[in-house]
C-alpha cells in the first residue's frame, strides 16, 4: 500500500503542477509540454486505479493524437520569426475569482461525502471484459463512436481545407 | 483514496475553467477544454472501482472519442479563424460577419 500510495501522490502532484503551469505560463509551447506531463500523470493514475486499458488509450489518443494536433495548430497559427511565442492573459481577476469559487463549491460538496474506502470488487479480467462488452452490450454506442469520428474527420477537412480554391474570402 | 481523487478532479476542472476564461490564445483555450474532459474521466474511473460492471471505464472510452473529435473540429475552426484574422487572439475575433 505504502509504495503504491507514494506513487499515487507523485502522479497527483505532477498532474496538479502541470495544470497550474499551463494556467500561469506565458509561452504556448511550454504550455503544450506541460499538457503532455499532465496527460501522462492522468494515465498513470488510471493504471493505478486498475484501468490499464483506459490508461493506454489515454496515452495513445490524448498524447499521440490530440496533443500532436494542438502542436500542429500552434505551429500553424503563430509567427515563428520571434524567439518565443509570448501570450498575455485576457481577463485576470474575474476569471481567477470565478474558477476559485467553482473550486470552493466543489470542495465543499466533496467534504460532505463519505465513501467506503475498502471492499471494492476487484476484477481480474478487465481487458477481456471490456472487449466482450464493447462488442455485445455496447455495440450501438461503439458503432456510433466510429460514425462520429468519421464525421469529425470529414468536417474538419472540409472546414480547414478550403483555402486553395477561394483564397482568403471567408 | 477516493476523496483525494475527487479533490484532484475538482482542482483539474477548476484549472481548466480558469484557463478557458483567462487565456487569450484560442489553442490554449482548447487545452483547457481537454483538461476539463480529463477531470470528468478521472471521476468516472474513480467511481468505476466500486462497480463490478466497470461502466465508468466504458464511458471514459467514449469520452476519449468525443474529445478527439472535438479537438479535430476545434482546431480546424481555429485554423480557419487564423486564416481570416491573421491572428490566434480571441480578443480580435469579435465580428460575426465581415
Amino acid at each position: 500500500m505504502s509504495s503504491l500510495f507514494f506513487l499515487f501522490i507523485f502522479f497527483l502532484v505532477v498532474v496538479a503542477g502541470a495544470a497550474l503551469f499551463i494556467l500561469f505560463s506565458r509561452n504556448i509551447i511550454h504550455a503544450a509540454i506541460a499538457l503532455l506531463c499532465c496527460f501522462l500523470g492522468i494515465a498513470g493514475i488510471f493504471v493505478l486505479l486498475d484501468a490499464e486499458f483506459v490508461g493506454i488509450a489515454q496515452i495513445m489518443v490524448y498524447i499521440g493524437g490530440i496533443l500532436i494536433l494542438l502542436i500542429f495548430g500552434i505551429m500553424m497559427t503563430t509567427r515563428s520569426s520571434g524567439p518565443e511565442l509570448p501570450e498575455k492573459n485576457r481577463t485576470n481577476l474575474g476569471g481567477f475569482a470565478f474558477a476559485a469559487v467553482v473550486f470552493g463549491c466543489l470542495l465543499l460538496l466533496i467534504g460532505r461525502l463519505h465513501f467506503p474506502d475498502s471492499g471494492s470488487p476487484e476484477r481480474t479480467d478487465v481487458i477481456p471484459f471490456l472487449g466482450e462488452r464493447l462488442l455485445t452490450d455496447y455495440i450501438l454506442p461503439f458503432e456510433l463512436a466510429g460514425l462520429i469520428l468519421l464525421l469529425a474527420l470529414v468536417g474538419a477537412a472540409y472546414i480547414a481545407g478550403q483555402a486553395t480554391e477561394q483564397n482568403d474570402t471567408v | 483514496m477516493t476523496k483525494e481523487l475527487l479533490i484532484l478532479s475538482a482542482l483539474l476542472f477548476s484549472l481548466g475553467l480558469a484557463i478557458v476564461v483567462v487565456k487569450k490564445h484560442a489553442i490554449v483555450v482548447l487545452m483547457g477544454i481537454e483538461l476539463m474532459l480529463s477531470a470528468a474521466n478521472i471521476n468516472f474511473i474513480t467511481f468505476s472501482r466500486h462497480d463490478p460492471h466497470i461502466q465508468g471505464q466504458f464511458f471514459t472510452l467514449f469520452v476519449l472519442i468525443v474529445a478527439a473529435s472535438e479537438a479535430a473540429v476545434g482546431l480546424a475552426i481555429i485554423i480557419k479563424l487564423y486564416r481570416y484574422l491573421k491572428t490566434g487572439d480571441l480578443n480580435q475575433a469579435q465580428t460575426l460577419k465581415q
Side-chain angles (χ1 to χ4, degrees), chain A residues 19 22-23 25 49 62 69 73-74 76-77 87-88 90-91 103 113 117 123 133 159-160 162-163 170, chain B residues 1-3 11 14-15 20-25 27 34 49 52 58 64 75 80 82-83 91 98:
Chain A
I22 298 173
L23 182 56
S25 157
L49 292 179
Y62 268 102
L69 261 182
I74 292 170
M76 290 176 76
T77 59
E87 190 232 359
K88 286 179 191 161
R90 201 161 31 149
T91 56
F103 183 51
L113 300 175
D117 207 27
R123 290 201 72 95
R133 289 296 143 143
I159 292 173
Q162 256 183 343
V170 184
Chain B
M1 203 151 154
T2 304
K3 201 164 262 188
L11 177 68
S14 311
L15 284 175
V20 168
V21 174
V22 164
K23 286 295 188 177
K24 202 175 171 189
H25 199 281
I27 290 177
E34 301 297 335
R49 274 168 76 226
F58 289 106
L64 282 183
L75 212 65
K80 189 85 170 177
Y82 176 75
R83 236 179 243 148
N91 281 344
Q98 45 186 340

Side-chain angles (χ1 to χ4, degrees), chain B:
Chain B
M1 203 151 154
T2 304
K3 201 164 262 188
E4 287 91 342
L5 279 168
L6 288 187
I7 291 173
L8 172 72
S9 164
L11 177 68
L12 210 57
F13 184 85
S14 311
L15 284 175
L17 189 66
I19 290 170
V20 168
V21 174
V22 164
K23 286 295 188 177
K24 202 175 171 189
H25 199 281
I27 290 177
V28 186
V29 172
L30 215 57
M31 289 181 192
I33 294 173
E34 301 297 335
L35 278 187
M36 288 201 278
L37 284 169
S38 292
N41 279 347
I42 290 177
N43 264 3
F44 276 126
I45 297 289
T46 304
F47 286 118
S48 87
R49 274 168 76 226
H50 301 283
D51 179 16
H53 296 292
I54 50 171
Q55 290 173 350
Q57 295 196 21
F58 289 106
F59 210 95
T60 304
L61 286 177
F62 293 120
V63 170
L64 282 183
I65 292 167
V66 172
S69 318
E70 170 259 327
V73 176
L75 212 65
I77 292 173
I78 288 172
I79 287 174
K80 189 85 170 177
L81 197 69
Y82 176 75
R83 236 179 243 148
Y84 180 57
L85 293 175
K86 305 290 181 221
T87 173
D89 189 351
L90 281 177
N91 281 344
Q92 308 291 324
Q94 288 175 337
T95 56
L96 281 177
K97 50 179 289 193
Q98 45 186 340

Side-chain angles (χ1 to χ4, degrees), chain A residues 23-39:
Chain A
L23 182 56
F24 290 109
S25 157
R26 290 292 173 85
N27 190 319
I28 306 178
I29 295 290
H30 291 175
I33 302 300
L35 197 69
L36 169 77
C37 294
C38 195
F39 286 155

Side-chain angles (χ1 to χ4, degrees), chain A residues 46-164:
Chain A
F46 284 174
V47 171
L48 285 186
L49 292 179
D50 301 321
E52 297 91 358
F53 181 74
V54 182
I56 300 298
Q58 161 96 9
I59 290 180
M60 284 172 60
V61 172
Y62 268 102
I63 297 173
I66 294 175
L67 199 66
I68 298 296
L69 261 182
L70 287 178
I71 291 177
F72 268 138
I74 292 170
M75 299 295 174
M76 290 176 76
T77 59
T78 45
R79 286 181 302 278
S80 57
S81 59
E84 62 175 7
L85 311 169
E87 190 232 359
K88 286 179 191 161
N89 287 348
R90 201 161 31 149
T91 56
N92 277 325
L93 208 54
F96 285 129
F98 179 50
V101 165
V102 168
F103 183 51
C105 291
L106 285 174
L107 271 190
L108 216 63
L109 283 175
I110 290 169
R112 286 174 159 195
L113 300 175
H114 297 286
F115 298 105
D117 207 27
S118 61
S120 62
E122 298 278 334
R123 290 201 72 95
T124 54
D125 56 338
V126 171
I127 294 176
F129 184 77
L130 275 174
E132 185 193 326
R133 289 296 143 143
L134 269 183
L135 289 180
T136 51
D137 288 347
Y138 293 90
I139 184 68
L140 185 63
F142 187 68
E143 297 290 339
L144 278 180
L147 191 66
I148 284 178
L149 278 178
L150 176 68
L151 285 179
L153 186 68
V154 174
Y158 177 73
I159 292 173
Q162 256 183 343
T164 51

